[in-house]
Structures are given as C-alpha cells and as structure tokens.
Amino acid sequence: LNEITPAAIHAHETALMSAFYNKVSSLPGVTVYGDFTQDRAPIVTLNIGDMDSGEAAEILSDEYGIAVRSGAHCAPRMHEALGTVEQGAVRFSFGYYNTEEETDAAIAAVRELAEQ
C-alpha cells in the first residue's frame, strides 16, 4: 500500500462498485438503494425481490462464497424511510483487493437469485 496512492485505491474501488451497480440495478426484481450520480463510498445496498436480507446473505455465502452484510446496518431510521424495516438490505462493499472477476461473480450470483 505504500506504493499505491489513495486516489488509485479509490479509483479501483469505485470502478468495481460502478460495474456492479450498472449491471444489478437493471435486473428485474432487484432494488438498489442510494444515489449513484456523484462520488460515494464503494458500497451498493440492495434487495432481491421480497427475499429476507439475511437469507440472501446466507445463500450468497454458502452457495457462491460471497461475503456481504445484511440486516439493518445500525441504521433503523434509514430502513424506516426506505420501507425495509422487516426485510433489511444486503450490502456489497468493494475494497482494493477485490477483482473484476469477483465483481462479475457477484453480478452473476445476484442475477441467479433474482431469477428464482
């Protein structure tokens, strides 16, 4: 990390997040939350149909080897505003050590779950 600039790290994380967002946000049955029109943290929060977020996270982990966070994310008022208090949400976070291949695998997994 001493050889890589914070700007390069941010650019990599943002590119992965944008690629993921651009593909999953157009999938039928997938609801993505947040404003992606400006610079932001490399996080995409979504729901897949009416699937419980904990169930989605468990399937992503067990069947696809993808680690995500699920639930209320310590933000109950946000979930009240979004109408996701009962369902929660699934949060994908992208980091410097994530790859394009991992991002493509996450896109494919969300697509498969949305088609069920």
Side-chain angles (χ1 to χ4, degrees):
L1 285 176
N2 289 334
E3 298 173 13
I4 303 164
T5 66
I9 292 169
H10 180 68
H12 175 76
E13 294 171 343
T14 299
L16 296 177
M17 176 204 60
S18 295
F20 181 79
Y21 167 78
N22 288 333
K23 295 288 173 98
V24 301
S25 64
S26 64
L27 293 174
V30 175
T31 303
V32 178
Y33 305 99
D35 179 2
F36 289 82
T37 62
Q38 54 191 334
D39 194 32
R40 57 178 288 134
I43 297 169
V44 178
T45 303
L46 58 81
N47 273 313
I48 302 166
D50 60 359
M51 182 182 296
D52 179 76
S53 63
E55 179 184 3
E58 186 174 330
I59 293 169
L60 287 165
S61 177
D62 293 349
E63 297 182 20
Y64 298 93
I66 298 170
V68 296
R69 296 281 303 190
S70 65
H73 309 108
C74 300
R77 292 200 186 262
M78 178 197 72
H79 286 282
E80 288 174 10
L82 295 174
T84 57
V85 171
E86 294 298 320
Q87 184 179 20
V90 180
R91 185 177 68 200
F92 289 79
S93 301
F94 297 88
Y96 180 72
Y97 292 106
N98 289 123
T99 65
E100 288 181 33
E101 293 78 18
E102 291 170 327
T103 302
D104 291 341
I107 293 165
V110 171
R111 181 180 297 114
E112 287 178 22
L113 289 178
E115 291 173 350
Q116 295 179 0

